[in-house]
Amino acid sequence: SSPSPCQPEPPNGTLVQAGWSKCWSRRENRPYYFNRFTNQSLWEVPVLGQHDVISDPLGLNAAPAEGGDGNLGNGQRKRRSSEEQGVGPNSFKRTKPRPSTIQTSSVSAEATPPPVTCWWPSRRFNQMFVVLFRIYWDLDIQTNAVIREHAPAAHLPPHPEIELQRAQLVTKLRQHYHELCHQREGIDPPRESFNRWLLERKVIDKGQDPLLPSDCEPVISPSMFREVMNDIPIRLSRIKYKEEARKLLFKYAEAAKKMIDSRNASPESRKVVKWNAEDTMSWLRRDHSASKEDYMDRLEHLRQQCGPHVAAVAKDSVEGICSKIYQLSAEYSRRLRQTHLKACASPPQSRLVYCYPVRLSVPSPPLPRVELHFENDVACLRFRGEMVKVNRGHFSKLELLYRYSCIDDPRFEKFLSRVWCLLKRYQVMFGSGANEGTGLQGALPVSVFEALNRQFGVSFECFASPLNCYYKQFCSAFPDIDGFFGSRGPFLSFCPVSGSFEANPPFCEELMDAMVTHFEDLLDQSSEPLSFIVFVPEWRDPVTPALTRMEASRFLRHQLSIPAYEHEYRSGSQHICKRDEMYYRAVHGTAVLFLQNDAGFVKWAPTPERLAELTAAYRPSLPRTSSLSSPGPAHIVPGDRDSAPKASDRTQSAVAPPGGHDNNNNSSSGGSSSSSPRDKIAAV
């Protein structure tokens, strides 16, 4: 009996390992064979050794052949010759895209990409359905990133039961953090501080859980300690009117006095704080004609006088919060790994290969059933009452990435379970509040990605996810689940020998600093062409250590500055947000730095012509109603340059005007503004 349409049926195990699968041609009404490594299609059963090169499919380690194409490997030479000769006796030329491919449209810099209607075949469900969405990816761009081949990763494979338990434990840990801040300091947790704690811990964590920190030194997180201390004795916010400034000054004086009375402070500290607080209250009662600037100057003076004494009495308590959260996380990680081990071992090779997705050495167990249904343009996946959602376009993108990258599930039997794990993992990492965490997960506009590929050969993203990647090769935070969808693992563990890369890291200072160290190590060790184009916020007062180090690096070839309000970014929640919220205007400048070794500079030099096209691609093509403010943590009045956060605001808490784009975010955190110094600027 013939196979059903679009249902893969591999001819045998050896051919499957070589990349072959059996598919059904609706146009010809007969089966054909397709190789996902070489993109070759055959009507007849492929012959091993004739239609593939299993030992070295890319030909990177083969000696050059005599005469022509001397720098191409065997696999590349065969594909080049077949393209030049046209259709062979055993192959056919498609006039339509093969059933398993979405047609992608080229997105110009001058206009928003038009909607694309696609007939998308689902191997998992043996049916066709129509997908109407705007394309934001180009998965046909081939990689030029080269690494040394290595053994499969030892991560435990994902499992919905484990992911559900992980989600519950992280939620419980967030609740503990909220309760500790309330009980010990009488404040709400600083907004996004738990999310940034997870990012900061991942830089140094040597534990085995992909999300919960369990083996970190130091135990007390500098990021969490800094952000909680910034909100003591009260959380400050950006103000707009005189009366707001007056109330804020009074609240600060009252809170500082109350705190110094209730803590074990030295007599000198108690005297200084109480005298300044009472003097401020007396001044407020006497003077009713002061301006907003007078109140703000008085507040700054009060903070300078009382701040060190207040911080001294709060230090032990805040360190206790940080230590308790870490200890709970380590305990949860240990318990979760024991459960994971119950539910479910080749030396590294030195030859060069094109980088490939993460492979797990532990085979996946049978996965439970995950239910799928569609609500208009949204795919809803449910497991034991827990539902995650993704729009149809990105659901189709995940299926395509899975088809390209997954090698242990040719019949897509584990696809829905793994998609559920993927969506749940990212949902848990960035929190459950409205738009929470999305400002840490933004992406460049499509026109910029096109310009990077066209002018600088970029084909790889150093910081992305299967949900927001543009290229099909990228590094991401979670290799155990993202690897099935094309991830090459965390960037700090990724060691390319050559290639052209784009880096747009999450705005965690510790992560950005570790990124620069990794860049310089890679560029120093490789003599092959290697290039990194880095996009970071242009924070100047105080300047971030990562930006300072890159500007002083001997590998810096050029630096661009994209002014605030003159460029935009794509939302970190693009896989689920509304279309009119897809883009937001950047309210801070962006620094673009070109780090290249000598060979990389020769091959991808930032010439004036290339830079001009990149700069033009960054300009917003059309005014967007939703792009005037960011969905991230910045509290800025749309279009008001005067309200943009000043550099000095990153060293002290500031007050946000009402009516900003982020009011929805505030509803989940008591309406208070961001307290992180770096969160005064919108995250990309």
Side-chain angles (χ1 to χ4, degrees):
S1 61
S2 62
S4 58
C6 297
Q7 183 70 22
E9 184 179 326
N12 58 59
T14 307
L15 290 177
V16 171
Q17 294 178 1
W20 291 101
S21 60
K22 187 175 181 180
C23 304
W24 186 265
S25 172
R26 289 181 177 271
R27 180 167 59 86
E28 299 292 338
N29 198 28
R30 58 170 170 157
Y32 70 94
Y33 299 89
F34 173 71
N35 191 303
R36 60 189 176 88
F37 293 150
T38 63
N39 289 333
Q40 189 177 9
S41 300
L42 302 175
W43 290 122
E44 300 177 2
V45 178
V47 179
L48 288 177
Q50 178 178 347
H51 298 113
D52 59 86
V53 183
I54 297 179
S55 61
D56 188 11
L58 297 173
L60 288 175
N61 299 283
E66 295 183 2
D69 290 341
N71 61 343
L72 293 177
N74 293 338
Q76 292 171 303
R77 195 176 299 112
K78 287 187 177 184
R79 275 175 274 161
R80 174 70 61 82
S81 61
S82 65
E83 291 170 0
E84 293 173 351
Q85 295 173 6
V87 181
N90 234 9
S91 62
F92 64 92
K93 184 180 293 184
R94 297 187 184 89
T95 57
K96 299 180 180 179
R98 66 175 184 267
S100 61
T101 303
I102 291 185
Q103 287 180 320
T104 58
S105 63
S106 176
V107 184
S108 66
E110 292 78 25
T112 302
V116 176
T117 303
C118 302
W119 281 97
W120 178 254
S122 172
R123 293 188 177 186
R124 175 67 178 81
F125 310 107
N126 193 25
Q127 61 182 353
M128 304 283 286
F129 55 89
V130 177
V131 180
L132 179 63
F133 57 95
R134 297 183 185 277
I135 295 296
Y136 174 68
W137 49 84
D138 187 350
L139 304 181
D140 291 328
I141 296 177
Q142 298 301 316
T143 183
N144 57 14
V146 178
I147 62 172
R148 295 193 181 278
E149 190 175 16
H150 49 76
H155 306 290
L156 297 177
H159 193 288
E161 290 279 2
I162 303 301
E163 207 61 43
L164 182 59
Q165 291 184 42
R166 181 177 286 114
Q168 294 168 348
L169 290 174
V170 172
T171 300
K172 188 176 179 180
L173 194 62
R174 289 180 186 272
Q175 293 171 349
H176 278 299
Y177 180 47
H178 191 277
E179 292 167 2
L180 286 171
C181 288
H182 266 286
Q183 293 170 2
R184 299 193 180 188
E185 300 301 333
I187 62 171
D188 287 327
R191 183 175 174 273
E192 301 278 11
S193 62
F194 187 89
N195 298 333
R196 273 187 296 272
W197 175 75
L198 289 177
L199 289 171
E200 180 260 335
R201 296 281 89 179
K202 281 192 72 67
V203 174
I204 59 174
D205 186 30
K206 298 178 182 179
Q208 296 176 310
D209 191 272
L211 184 56
L212 289 164
S214 60
D215 187 4
C216 301
E217 185 65 31
V219 168
I220 296 173
S221 163
S223 172
M224 180 178 286
F225 178 84
R226 179 176 63 242
E227 294 192 41
V228 175
M229 289 294 287
N230 278 346
D231 283 5
I232 294 174
I234 65 169
R235 174 175 298 178
L236 301 182
S237 55
R238 193 178 301 278
I239 59 97
K240 190 173 183 180
Y241 304 107
K242 183 179 78 171
E243 286 304 311
E244 293 177 339
R246 179 184 175 87
K247 291 179 181 178
L248 189 65
L249 177 58
F250 181 82
K251 287 175 62 178
Y252 187 92
E254 186 180 45
K257 181 181 177 182
K258 180 179 179 181
M259 184 173 182
I260 208 72
D261 283 334
S262 62
R263 302 292 178 94
N264 186 21
S266 67
E268 180 63 24
S269 294
R270 199 181 304 276
K271 177 181 177 181
V272 170
V273 173
K274 292 181 70 172
W275 186 89
N276 280 278
E278 290 170 357
D279 181 65
T280 298
M281 294 180 185
S282 176
W283 178 78
L284 285 170
R285 286 190 290 267
R286 289 195 317 267
D287 194 340
H288 297 280
S289 61
S291 66
K292 169 189 168 183
E293 289 71 24
D294 294 333
Y295 291 129
M296 295 308 296
D297 290 343
R298 190 82 183 201
L299 175 60
E300 182 60 25
H301 174 75
L302 186 61
R303 291 186 66 197
Q304 290 177 358
Q305 296 298 316
C306 300
H309 303 284
V310 171
V313 299
K315 180 175 181 292
D316 291 343
S317 175
V318 176
E319 286 182 347
I321 293 175
C322 300
S323 177
K324 182 65 174 179
I325 292 301
Y326 172 76
Q327 292 168 3
L328 287 172
S329 176
E331 175 61 18
Y332 291 168
S333 173
R334 184 188 63 80
R335 285 162 42 188
L336 192 64
R337 182 164 182 84
Q338 290 177 349
T339 305
H340 204 164
L341 288 171
K342 290 179 181 179
C344 341
S346 83
Q349 302 178 8
S350 60
R351 66 175 188 155
L352 298 178
V353 295
Y354 281 122
C355 65
Y356 50 84
V358 173
R359 308 290 189 225
L360 303 185
S361 59
V362 179
S364 177
L367 300 181
R369 183 172 179 266
V370 170
E371 299 176 358
L372 169 70
H373 71 276
F374 291 93
E375 296 178 358
N376 298 324
D377 290 334
V378 178
C380 305
L381 294 88
R382 183 189 300 272
F383 174 71
R384 293 183 57 185
E386 293 276 348
M387 182 183 293
V388 292
K389 297 182 179 181
V390 62
N391 63 46
R392 280 183 183 261
H394 281 76
F395 182 77
S396 301
K397 174 191 179 184
L398 291 176
E399 188 169 0
L400 188 59
L401 287 171
Y402 192 79
R403 192 184 310 277
Y404 282 148
S405 305
C406 182
I407 62 173
D408 71 339
D409 187 23
R411 297 184 181 275
F412 276 51
E413 294 169 347
K414 302 180 176 75
F415 173 69
L416 288 183
S417 295
R418 288 169 174 170
V419 170
W420 189 93
C421 291
L422 171 78
L423 296 173
K424 193 66 178 177
R425 178 77 58 83
Y426 280 95
Q427 179 191 80
V428 169
M429 179 173 188
F430 289 109
S432 57
N435 292 328
E436 183 180 2
T438 59
L440 303 174
Q441 214 26 34
L444 301 176
V446 62
S447 55
V448 177
F449 275 122
E450 288 182 328
L452 289 173
N453 175 253
R454 189 164 51 247
Q455 297 300 323
F456 300 99
V458 173
S459 66
F460 193 107
E461 297 162 78
C462 296
F463 298 93
S465 74
L467 298 170
N468 71 0
C469 67
Y470 177 79
Y471 306 112
K472 63 183 176 185
Q473 47 273 337
F474 56 90
C475 284
S476 66
F478 307 117
D480 62 320
I481 180 62
D482 295 349
F484 295 107
F485 301 90
S487 172
R488 274 58 174 168
F491 175 71
L492 298 181
S493 303
F494 180 70
C495 299
V497 177
S498 69
S500 183
F501 301 83
E502 174 268 349
N504 178 22
F507 290 173
C508 167
E509 290 190 39
E510 291 81 2
L511 177 59
M512 289 193 289
D513 197 51
M515 171 195 74
V516 178
T517 301
H518 194 50
F519 281 157
E520 295 197 327
D521 289 343
L522 295 174
L523 291 166
D524 185 61
Q525 294 169 6
S526 177
S527 59
E528 299 296 322
L530 189 58
S531 170
F532 297 97
I533 304 178
V534 190
F535 297 78
V536 293
E538 197 160 15
W539 291 330
R540 291 293 180 186
D541 187 12
V543 67
T544 58
L547 183 56
T548 301
R549 291 179 59 195
M550 286 190 287
E551 290 179 333
S553 173
R554 65 187 180 92
F555 298 107
L556 179 66
R557 305 296 179 170
H558 192 80
Q559 180 174 349
L560 284 177
S561 180
I562 311 297
Y565 297 96
E566 295 183 14
H567 60 296
E568 62 186 8
Y569 288 92
R570 191 172 174 91
S571 170
S573 60
Q574 58 176 272
H575 62 286
I576 198 64
C577 72
K578 299 177 182 178
R579 291 183 181 178
D580 59 356
E581 299 174 354
M582 192 67 73
Y583 287 89
Y584 58 90
R585 193 69 56 90
V587 296
H588 60 82
T590 294
V592 184
L593 303 101
F594 294 77
L595 303 180
Q596 300 168 328
N597 61 8
D598 292 338
F601 179 66
V602 170
K603 188 169 185 178
W604 298 296
T607 62
E609 296 78 11
R610 289 173 172 173
L611 294 172
E613 178 165 341
L614 177 61
T615 303
Y618 227 141
R619 298 191 190 101
S621 56
L622 294 174
R624 305 177 188 272
T625 57
S626 65
S627 65
L628 295 178
S629 60
S630 78
H635 297 258
I636 309 289
V637 173
D640 184 2
R641 288 178 182 267
D642 294 334
S643 66
K646 299 178 181 179
S648 60
D649 292 340
R650 295 187 285 106
T651 60
Q652 60 183 359
S653 299
V655 186
H661 181 89
D662 218 12
N663 285 349
N664 290 337
N665 289 0
N666 293 342
S667 65
S668 64
S669 59
S672 56
S673 72
S674 167
S675 64
S676 164
R678 298 304 178 195
D679 255 359
K680 303 301 183 269
I681 308 282
V684 201

